[in-house]
Amino acid sequence: MDDRFNTIAGWGLFGGIVALGLSSLSGHYFLADKEHRPETMGYAIEGVVEEAAAGAVAELPLPNLLAAGDVGKGEAVFAKCKACHTPNEGGANGIGPNLYGVLGKPIAKHAGFAYSADLAGKGGNWDFATMDAWLKNPKAFAAGTKMSFAGLAKGEDRANVILYLNSLGSNLPLPAAEAAPAAEAPADAAASEAAPDAAASEAAPAA
């Protein structure tokens, strides 16, 4: 009886080992255990990219976002920045420099703070456009920056923060909002409007 049990157990163990080996081999063969996506996907799902692109809304120009912005909302978003920056006049530098009156000042020149070489070499002043680019993606603005903040993806959030920073002793005049492009009349509508005028001119008696 014991021999029969040992035989069954042995064959069961052998079968498990064989199954485990086959599973491992199939996983390597079909790249089932690969951590990254395959270079070539199995098939494309038609319409996915097109629908995403169609649903994207074009961002308004910065002057328009500033005109419609809100200082209070900017202060609320700036709460994310207070771990590194002080906004008050005469405030001490922290992990990042004090930001009172930063708009209009030279980039990376605040006294007593050691900036990265990439940011210090940018030149120019912190105006609305440069601050918008910086807040959107600091690493893209200055690749070697010490700031680890990923940036603000929404244009409205950036505009509100810029308005808040501008209220902190800078008070630069806002740029004029850009006029919305005039909608073009459809060609067939213009043609249909021109047709009655042409017919009326042909029917009118000569003077």
Side-chain angles (χ1 to χ4, degrees), residues 27-123:
H28 286 291
Y29 182 78
F30 293 106
L31 298 180
D33 299 326
K34 190 172 181 180
E35 295 181 359
H36 306 289
R37 294 176 62 184
E39 294 181 4
T40 304
M41 299 300 291
Y43 59 89
I45 302 175
E46 295 183 1
V48 172
V49 175
E50 291 77 1
E51 289 176 5
V57 178
E59 191 172 275
L60 290 174
L62 178 60
N64 298 51
L65 292 173
L66 291 171
D70 183 277
V71 174
K73 291 181 180 179
E75 184 176 8
V77 177
F78 185 81
K80 302 176 182 179
C81 312
K82 286 186 175 180
C84 300
H85 299 279
T86 56
N88 54 304
E89 184 175 8
N93 294 327
I95 298 174
N98 172 266
L99 295 180
Y100 184 85
V102 64
L103 282 171
K105 288 184 177 178
I107 294 175
K109 299 298 181 184
H110 186 72
F113 188 80
Y115 293 90
S116 66
D118 282 0
L119 189 56
K122 293 294 290 187

Side-chain angles (χ1 to χ4, degrees), residues 172-199:
L172 301 180
L174 298 182
E178 299 179 14
E184 296 182 1
D188 55 349
S192 61
E193 290 178 1
D197 295 337

Side-chain angles (χ1 to χ4, degrees), residues 133-184:
W134 168 253
L135 291 174
K136 184 175 183 178
N137 190 334
K139 291 289 185 182
F141 186 85
T145 180
K146 299 176 182 178
M147 190 163 85
S148 59
F149 183 61
L152 298 171
K154 292 184 179 180
E156 292 86 352
D157 288 344
R158 298 196 304 274
N160 290 334
V161 170
I162 291 171
L163 288 173
Y164 173 64
L165 292 174
N166 194 40
S167 72
L168 301 177
S170 295
N171 300 312
L172 301 180
L174 298 182
E178 299 179 14
E184 296 182 1

